[in-house]
Amino acid sequence: MKIGTGKAPTRLLLDRLARAIDECLENGGLVVGVLPTGYGKTSFVRHKLISRIAREGLRVAHVLPLRAIVSEAAVKAASAAKGLGASDVVGFQAGVLVKGVAKSPYLARDYMIVTVDSFALSFYGIPVYELMRSAWHSDVAYTLARSFNLLILDEYHLMVSGDGEAEDDEIDLLRKQAGVITSIVREYVGSGRCVAVFTATLPPSLLEAVLSNAGVKSNVWLVGYGDRQWKLYQRLLSVLGKIAVRLEEHIGFDRGFEAEHCGCIDTIVKRAEVVDSVVDLGALLDELKGRFESGAKSVFIAFNSWRRAYKTFSEWGSRLERELGCKPVLVTGKMSEEQRHDKLEKVEKLLKDGDRVCLFATQVVEAGVDLDFDILVSEAAPLPALIQRAGRVARHRKPSDINTIIIVYDDAEKLRIVNGIYDTDATRETLNLVVNVLGCRVFDGCRGCLDWRCGGVDGCETVWQLLGDLDSKVYSVKVKAAEPSTELEQLLRRLSTLAEPPRKIVKVLDEKLNGSFVRKSTLIPLLPPSDMVVDGREVSEREVEELLGRLVAVDSRFIRKYGERYLEHQDGSVKAVLVTLDEGRLRLRVRSDVSLYELAERPLYTMWRLAVYTDARLLLGFLLKRDVYDRENGLRVV
């Protein structure tokens, strides 16, 4: 579908999904949509809902897990709304700037695209717009966040994942994520409104972690791609049956979609050395050369770690350009939103023009980015992540002989390649399942054909059937370990009273939730050095927006581990850049007395106190050293 033309894609299961949402809006309940990557569910639903909002005054919150996905979705929604003559209905809320789309701080627009963390803050009366102020309009944020007719939890598998640095971290994070999403679902479904959960890769236990504790019975609609007998759907139907007053299901294939988009893809599992955070692509070079000689023009090299992405790009980017004739491009989460947007536009143009391109990227390209590559080289990861990455291969066409998916790992036992990013057990079991279905006895060199998208292709095994096995062997065990926290439930009820002052709430969020309802920790803005940043300098609104566009967001773990390497600091203090209003004029203020230790250990409270005591209109960020930032590729690895 071309956004903004007033046309929506025609697919069998999308029509079923639209009917389910219509019935859910009328009667209340839960819609679960499990559809392949590239099937068009988000575009279809967006078009249908914006049309309905314009006619009926419906309110919709479209909640997404990542800022990068919100940014792209907001641009597409604004374009669609303009094409339908409803430009004023779309707004977004996330810690980024999106040019041409209205930011709606209190979630006041009728079609809101928002990160899950921003939605959760507003849901508990903590307006993102006023977070760094001494007084909040909590009642406004609280009321508007609970006033939507439809709540869409899109890319749900990324919202409730529990991926952490160690087993205890994973369980604690999953407990927090599930607890917060549970309270939101309970409020919406319990009050007779509609919640829709969308994903292409849903381990049923991660949905059970929320529904089993929500304590509500409701109407349930399940629209799924595939075979009802798959273990994935048997498990999912069991989970949904426990809360359903009435359960309607439509699980099946779409032969038209399969004819255009589905097929077996040559899949290889390969061991690669990782030395000093550089993945040795030498072991894959002959394979890549052969594919490019056969007509391939693009490869997406997916990394779990920003450091490995940056260092492997630095080591191999130029070499691949010489060997394959491709333009190397790096996209990671350690660059500004502006840089990411420009890089992805560049890649999109290269692909469209038929030029050769090698994209080195992290999870920011894993979901919500509509790019189509010939080859995927991916570091080993849990199956849901691999399916999302594989969804960028032959995305808009039927797979052919040039298409290949190569999964690389470093050590089959320790899997250091996923440390601190993904669940090691889920990744190891994923490799076992893939290798077994390909009929191999060992990981290294295992090769065969797999259907990574559909599951209805004759003579080709599908990875979708493996999701049920992975769920029963790994995720179900993980969910059982993450029993609901009474302390968390009490905290959420306490926040819902709107009785606590901002100072106390911010301290509690830091102490109990690491500053975030669903992330591992709150995000901390870092500001690249600039001649513009001078204490007392008068600035315009445009210049402030320019500085905001350059910010790089990191979490408290990064500050704890690398703060002294990356931030301007002296005697344990770092520099903060703020915007103040002085006699009607905007001015930059540079503070040099912010404790690096406090920023790492109590980031949210440290930022709040700094902004409030300075009477700042805005905290821009903490100043980076000059030698750690690359204007093209963001943070350097130092």
Side-chain angles (χ1 to χ4, degrees):
M1 180 188 100
K2 186 174 181 180
I3 298 299
T5 63
K7 297 179 181 179
T10 300
R11 301 213 189 284
L12 174 64
L13 293 174
L14 293 182
D15 290 336
R16 297 283 185 176
L17 184 62
R19 270 185 268 171
I21 291 174
D22 285 343
E23 291 180 25
C24 185
L25 282 166
E26 184 176 344
N27 301 294
L30 174 70
V31 175
V32 178
V34 184
L35 300 170
T37 57
Y39 195 71
K41 62 183 180 301
T42 301
S43 298
F44 178 81
V45 169
R46 176 172 58 228
H47 180 277
K48 291 287 187 183
L49 290 174
I50 291 174
S51 299
R52 190 165 174 180
I53 288 168
R55 294 194 312 268
E56 304 173 23
L58 192 72
R59 295 203 74 228
V60 179
H62 194 152
V63 183
L64 290 155
L66 303 173
R67 292 178 172 189
I69 305 178
V70 165
S71 178
E72 176 154 328
V75 170
K76 290 183 176 180
S79 177
K82 184 178 180 181
L84 293 166
S87 299
D88 60 342
V89 305
V90 175
F92 82 100
Q93 179 58 58
V96 293
L97 285 174
V98 180
K99 293 179 181 178
V101 186
K103 201 163 193 174
S104 185
Y106 300 103
L107 311 188
R109 294 243 171 164
D110 289 333
Y111 188 85
M112 283 300 309
I113 302 163
V114 56
T115 57
V116 62
D117 218 5
S118 292
F119 185 84
L121 284 166
S122 293
F123 186 82
Y124 291 107
I126 306 169
V128 179
Y129 180 66
E130 298 175 326
L131 182 57
M132 296 299 162
R133 297 183 181 179
S134 59
W136 299 338
H137 289 89
S138 297
D139 54 339
V140 177
Y142 178 94
T143 301
L144 287 173
R146 295 167 186 250
S147 69
F148 293 98
N149 305 95
L150 171 62
L151 175 67
I152 300 173
L153 302 177
D154 203 351
E155 305 291 359
Y156 175 86
H157 63 285
L158 295 176
M159 297 181 190
V160 183
S161 62
D163 292 315
E165 291 192 21
E167 185 176 352
D168 289 344
D169 292 332
E170 292 169 358
I171 299 305
D172 287 344
L173 180 60
L174 178 56
R175 183 180 292 116
K176 177 172 76 168
Q177 292 170 333
V180 171
I181 300 295
T182 294
S183 67
I184 293 172
V185 170
R186 181 190 296 129
E187 165 68 23
Y188 268 84
V189 175
S191 59
R193 282 170 290 165
C194 182
V195 173
V197 173
F198 296 160
T199 179
T201 52
L202 178 64
S205 292
L206 296 185
L207 186 58
E208 184 178 31
V210 168
L211 298 182
S212 64
N213 299 307
V216 292
K217 294 283 186 179
S218 72
N219 303 307
V220 178
W221 294 263
L222 170 61
V223 180
Y225 193 102
D227 189 328
R228 191 182 189 279
Q229 298 307 312
W230 287 353
K231 192 172 183 178
L232 165 68
Y233 287 119
Q234 289 298 301
R235 177 80 179 106
L236 190 53
L237 286 167
S238 173
V239 169
L240 295 175
K242 294 175 183 177
I243 69 145
V245 173
R246 175 172 63 101
L247 174 57
E248 290 190 19
E249 58 173 277
H250 186 89
I251 303 169
F253 296 101
D254 183 335
R255 299 307 180 190
F257 179 76
E258 289 167 18
E260 297 174 0
H261 296 86
C262 302
C264 290
I265 297 180
D266 188 21
T267 302
I268 304 167
V269 180
K270 189 75 176 172
R271 186 174 184 275
E273 294 289 339
V274 180
V275 179
D276 191 26
S277 294
V278 175
V279 179
D280 182 10
L281 299 181
L284 315 177
L285 199 52
D286 287 343
E287 183 69 39
L288 293 176
K289 279 183 177 180
R291 294 293 168 169
F292 271 72
E293 288 169 0
S294 299
K297 291 186 176 181
S298 58
V299 56
F300 166 28
I301 308 172
F303 297 85
N304 302 330
S305 154
W306 152 72
R307 296 181 69 82
R308 282 196 300 276
Y310 188 96
K311 294 200 73 171
T312 306
F313 170 81
S314 300
E315 183 80 15
W316 279 93
S318 297
R319 183 171 175 184
L320 289 188
E321 187 169 18
R322 291 193 304 271
E323 300 277 358
L324 305 178
C326 62
K327 180 66 177 177
V329 181
L330 175 69
V331 180
T332 76
K334 295 299 188 294
M335 54 178 55
S336 70
E337 186 62 32
E338 191 175 82
Q339 286 174 315
R340 277 197 299 273
H341 179 268
D342 291 346
K343 290 295 193 75
L344 290 175
E345 274 198 343
K346 179 180 181 179
V347 171
E348 187 175 14
K349 186 177 187 307
L350 287 168
L351 292 171
K352 184 179 179 180
D353 293 345
D355 294 328
R356 293 188 173 192
V357 58
C358 296
L359 174 64
F360 295 69
T362 56
Q363 296 90 328
V364 295
V365 182
E366 189 172 298
V369 177
D370 193 18
L371 297 174
D372 185 335
F373 294 89
D374 294 323
I375 302 167
L376 167 70
V377 175
S378 174
E379 292 188 338
L383 188 58
L386 290 181
I387 292 174
Q388 289 290 340
R389 295 173 186 182
R392 312 310 121 182
V393 175
R395 185 172 179 82
H396 302 308
R397 55 206 155 102
K398 194 172 183 67
S400 67
D401 291 342
I402 64 171
N403 298 126
T404 311
I405 292 173
I406 306 173
I407 304 167
V408 298
Y409 68 94
D410 55 341
D411 184 308
E413 187 59 36
K414 295 181 180 178
L415 284 175
R416 286 182 289 266
I417 211 163
V418 300
N419 283 356
I421 310 296
Y422 291 119
D423 184 298
T424 303
D425 291 337
T427 304
R428 184 179 297 109
E429 187 58 34
T430 292
L431 289 175
N432 283 326
L433 290 168
V434 169
V435 166
N436 286 340
V437 80
L438 290 176
C440 303
R441 295 192 177 188
V442 295
F443 287 180
D444 192 21
C446 181
R447 186 170 196 161
C449 277
L450 284 176
D451 175 2
W452 284 87
R453 179 175 289 180
C454 298
V457 181
D458 292 338
C460 189
E461 297 286 352
T462 173
V463 295
W464 274 54
Q465 295 187 50
L466 306 181
L467 277 170
D469 293 319
L470 183 66
D471 184 67
S472 61
K473 292 180 179 179
V474 177
Y475 290 111
S476 62
V477 176
K478 193 172 174 180
V479 167
K480 285 177 183 177
E483 295 179 353
S485 164
T486 302
E487 183 181 13
L488 176 61
E489 291 179 5
Q490 291 174 344
L491 171 60
L492 296 179
R493 282 197 296 269
R494 178 177 150 195
L495 291 174
S496 296
T497 66
L498 308 184
E500 305 280 3
R503 182 175 184 276
K504 197 166 186 178
I505 291 174
V506 171
K507 290 186 78 170
V508 166
L509 288 178
D510 257 348
E511 293 168 2
K512 303 296 184 182
L513 302 176
N514 290 327
S516 170
F517 283 108
V518 293
R519 293 179 180 273
K520 297 170 187 176
S521 80
T522 192
L523 293 178
I524 300 166
L526 307 184
L527 182 63
S530 165
D531 293 339
M532 194 188 303
V533 179
V534 178
D535 187 38
R537 184 182 187 277
E538 185 178 338
V539 288
S540 64
E541 290 278 5
R542 184 189 59 78
E543 287 174 318
V544 171
E545 286 197 5
E546 184 181 331
L547 290 172
L548 285 170
R550 298 177 186 176
L551 294 177
V552 178
V554 299
D555 61 20
S556 59
R557 295 175 308 151
F558 182 93
I559 298 297
R560 195 175 296 122
K561 194 169 183 179
Y562 304 117
E564 289 189 352
R565 293 190 207 175
Y566 284 86
L567 295 177
E568 285 280 3
H569 68 92
Q570 186 174 1
D571 299 328
S573 294
V574 296
K575 292 183 178 181
V577 182
L578 307 101
V579 179
T580 61
L581 191 62
D582 183 9
E583 296 181 351
R585 298 177 183 275
L586 294 176
R587 294 189 184 280
L588 296 182
R589 295 297 178 191
V590 181
R591 293 280 299 268
S592 304
D593 56 351
V594 183
S595 165
L596 178 57
Y597 173 81
E598 291 292 326
L599 181 61
E601 299 302 322
R602 286 174 282 276
L604 195 59
Y605 181 66
T606 299
M607 291 189 288
W608 177 85
R609 185 178 58 186
L610 175 65
V612 168
Y613 290 174
T614 311
D615 194 23
R617 182 178 175 183
L618 177 69
L619 169 62
L620 278 175
F622 298 89
L623 204 57
L624 287 162
K625 294 178 179 178
R626 287 195 174 272
D627 61 347
V628 301
Y629 182 77
D630 182 326
R631 289 196 175 188
E632 184 177 352
N633 294 317
L635 293 189
R636 294 190 175 104
V637 174
V638 296

